[in-house]
Amino acid sequence: MVTVTFTANIQRHVECPPTEVTGRTVRECLEAVFGHAPRARSYVLDDQGALRKHMIVFVDGHQIRDRATLGDGVSVGGRIDVMQALSGG
Amino acid sequence: MTARILVGSRKGLFTVTRGSDGWGVSDVAMLGDNVSLAMSDVRTEGRDVYAALDHGHFGVKVQRSSDGGATFEEVGVPIYPPKPEDAEPEPTENNARPVPWSLKKIWALAPGGPAQPGTLWCGTIPGGLFRSDDRGDTWQLVQSLWYHELRPGWFGGGADWPGIHSVCVHPDDADRVTLGVSCGGVWQTRDGGTSWELRADGMRAEYMPPELAGDPNTQDPHCVVQSPSAPDVFWAQHHNGIFKTTDDCASWNEVAEAGPSTFGFPVVVHPRDPDTAWFIPAVKDEARYPKDGKVVVTRTRDGGKSFDVLTNGLPQQHAYDLVFRHAFDIDASGDVLAFGSTTGSLWVSEDQGDHWTHISAHLPPIHSVRFG
């Protein structure tokens, strides 16, 4: 399983509790989360499915490189943190 | 008299109402959130209220109220289609950067006609026009405009990308819709959006090389309004001055002088007199503040031949309030006007601008002011 956590700031708009999912990439894991919390999708991804400009995702503490297709790999037992980038103010 | 004003601000949606002791803030919704635009639907006598939000990190959202603003629910947002590899020739002559096919900002919200109770129009950055027929639950891109051969010639003015900020629905024929585009001129459909015509002849763009100054597709009308009582008359506060048409946008004529400046963003027109319109000038494009630090409203009652400079109740020294294109409105009576500024001040006049009352100096930066 992979644990996905979300920034606390998103919680005032849409409920996103820490969730355990299965998946081999960031995309697969996030899609699994959005399957349970569909409203969260548009808060994290833009209308083209890419990570929003001022969002940032870490896998086990490392910032992902593929913001467009979210193809970065995730290991079993890993952790994905969906955070706000400070660039967004 | 309309007794409610919706004030969309950088940090929430404020409701301003008129009580026995005058106008004042009576409610706030979405406190802390960036409300870029708010609209009350006249077809429901104000029960339906829409607010466009830009959450920054979390993107653009739309909230709808069905109870006059007491409660809101999140509804759908316009979604751009995937961008094909060969979508358009880029870069174009005027646009050195590819335009993203992705919603950046909701820049216009307008109700459809009286016989279209669920219809809304939505203008966006980067230039897509969307239509909803279910009160905002779902939105459809108006493909006839997005895929128009001239649309790739649009470019951003002030914003990074082009956008539709003005949507004027003909009061007698809801299939006739006119748009203001920055930068892309004025566009009009007479068939409900099936086909579109560029109608900005006569406008003038100083920011273009001389040979392109008259190109209608490069014009930057900051705000376009249609006279409800004489729908062939439109006023435009343009980047390079004030323009007016009396022939349904076939030709535009420039107003040479209007008080301290013809530069600004908003314009409003009297609901029953097409010759009466109001503007709020700033110095000019590279100096976006009131001339000499004096906030004034300019008013013409003769179709632009002459202007009154209205100052009663407005600050006349060291005032640097700028008023954005959606932050000025007139009520249905034609007597009450209100505007809000980038520095959080809100003024109301109940006598067509002769006297102004300062409602607040401490609101967040104001993006939109709408009666209803």
Side-chain angles (χ1 to χ4, degrees):
Chain A
M1 300 296 280
V2 176
T3 303
V4 183
T5 69
F6 292 85
T7 171
N9 297 53
I10 203 172
Q11 310 291 341
R12 65 186 290 259
H13 302 295
V14 56
E15 190 176 356
C16 297
T19 305
E20 296 215 327
V21 298
T22 56
R24 293 167 297 177
T25 65
V26 172
R27 170 74 67 186
E28 289 179 4
C29 293
L30 289 183
E31 290 294 348
V33 174
F34 298 149
H36 299 291
R39 279 189 61 228
R41 174 190 296 276
S42 74
Y43 283 77
V44 177
L45 307 182
D46 67 20
D47 47 8
Q48 301 304 305
L51 189 64
R52 287 198 173 278
K53 180 179 179 181
H54 297 297
M55 296 296 285
I56 190 167
V57 171
F58 295 88
V59 175
D60 295 332
H62 299 286
Q63 185 176 335
I64 65 168
R65 295 178 179 275
D66 179 8
R67 298 176 59 89
T69 64
L70 307 177
D72 290 58
V74 185
S75 303
V76 174
R79 191 184 80 242
I80 296 175
D81 294 303
V82 180
M83 311 296 289
Q84 296 165 276
L86 290 179
S87 61
Chain B
M1 177 185 297
T2 303
R4 183 176 73 170
I5 306 170
L6 299 173
V7 178
S9 82
R10 180 69 182 79
K11 296 191 185 296
L13 175 62
F14 295 85
T15 300
V16 175
T17 51
R18 196 186 197 296
S20 57
D21 56 346
W23 294 89
V25 175
S26 58
D27 195 13
V28 58
M30 294 165 264
L31 185 61
D33 292 337
N34 185 14
V35 179
S36 58
L37 205 58
M39 181 195 81
S40 166
D41 192 336
V42 295
R43 298 168 301 183
T44 63
E45 299 178 334
R47 288 192 307 277
D48 285 2
V49 176
Y50 298 87
L53 294 96
D54 183 353
H55 284 310
H57 295 91
F58 305 128
V60 174
K61 305 288 183 280
V62 177
Q63 295 268 344
R64 179 184 67 205
S65 174
S66 303
D67 54 13
T71 60
F72 283 86
E73 61 177 333
E74 187 173 321
V75 293
V77 293
I79 296 175
Y80 279 74
K83 185 175 186 177
E85 292 293 327
D86 58 348
E88 58 195 49
E90 296 184 60
T92 67
E93 184 175 7
N94 300 323
N95 186 359
R97 292 175 300 170
V99 171
W101 289 31
S102 182
L103 180 65
K104 302 300 180 186
K105 185 183 183 73
I106 288 178
W107 218 12
L109 279 174
Q116 304 170 320
T119 299
L120 302 168
W121 295 95
C122 178
T124 71
I125 295 176
L129 177 70
F130 290 81
R131 174 177 173 150
S132 172
D133 290 311
D134 54 13
R135 300 171 66 234
D137 286 335
T138 60
W139 297 88
Q140 291 77 43
L141 176 68
V142 178
Q143 298 196 14
S144 53
L145 186 62
W146 183 248
Y147 292 105
H148 195 286
E149 61 180 0
L150 294 180
R151 200 272 305 161
W154 297 358
F155 56 94
D160 287 345
W161 314 108
I164 298 169
H165 49 67
S166 299
V167 178
C168 307
V169 178
H170 194 289
D172 305 320
D173 182 355
D175 282 343
R176 295 170 64 177
V177 180
T178 304
L179 311 176
V181 185
S182 291
C183 297
V186 176
W187 287 76
Q188 198 170 62
T189 179
R190 292 166 182 254
D191 52 20
T194 302
S195 63
W196 294 88
E197 185 180 357
L198 174 59
R199 291 169 76 85
D201 286 343
M203 290 184 168
R204 177 181 57 83
E206 289 180 6
Y207 44 84
M208 298 298 287
E211 65 273 21
L212 295 175
D215 178 356
N217 205 35
T218 66
Q219 301 302 317
D220 184 11
H222 287 172
C223 183
V224 178
V225 293
Q226 183 173 26
S227 165
S229 58
D232 283 352
V233 175
F234 292 76
W235 290 87
Q237 173 62 73
H238 183 286
H239 191 89
N240 290 125
I242 293 170
F243 292 83
K244 178 191 173 190
T245 173
T246 59
D247 55 11
D248 198 22
C249 305
S251 62
W252 291 83
N253 296 293
E254 185 168 5
V255 172
E257 292 187 13
S261 167
T262 58
F263 177 84
F265 290 92
V267 49
V268 297
V269 60
H270 191 283
R272 292 183 305 284
D273 179 5
D275 286 337
T276 297
W278 293 259
F279 301 82
I280 305 176
V283 177
K284 64 195 302 281
D285 48 358
E286 74 271 32
R288 301 178 182 205
Y289 51 85
K291 187 173 186 296
D292 300 325
K294 300 177 179 180
V295 175
V296 308
V297 175
T298 57
R299 177 184 64 200
T300 180
R301 292 189 183 280
D302 55 12
K305 297 184 183 71
S306 65
F307 280 80
D308 304 316
V309 179
L310 309 171
T311 63
N312 196 325
L314 301 176
Q316 296 303 294
Q317 59 180 356
H318 288 298
Y320 303 102
D321 300 75
L322 185 68
V323 180
F324 285 151
R325 69 198 79 215
H326 300 119
F328 190 18
D329 199 17
I330 187 167
D331 81 337
S333 77
D335 290 330
V336 186
L337 296 114
F339 68 93
S341 77
T342 53
T343 46
S345 273
L346 179 71
W347 287 274
V348 173
S349 170
E350 295 183 330
D351 56 8
Q352 300 194 356
D354 287 334
H355 302 85
W356 295 90
T357 300
H358 197 192
I359 307 304
S360 177
H362 304 294
L363 292 173
I366 293 172
H367 300 311
S368 76
V369 170
R370 285 293 178 265
F371 284 99

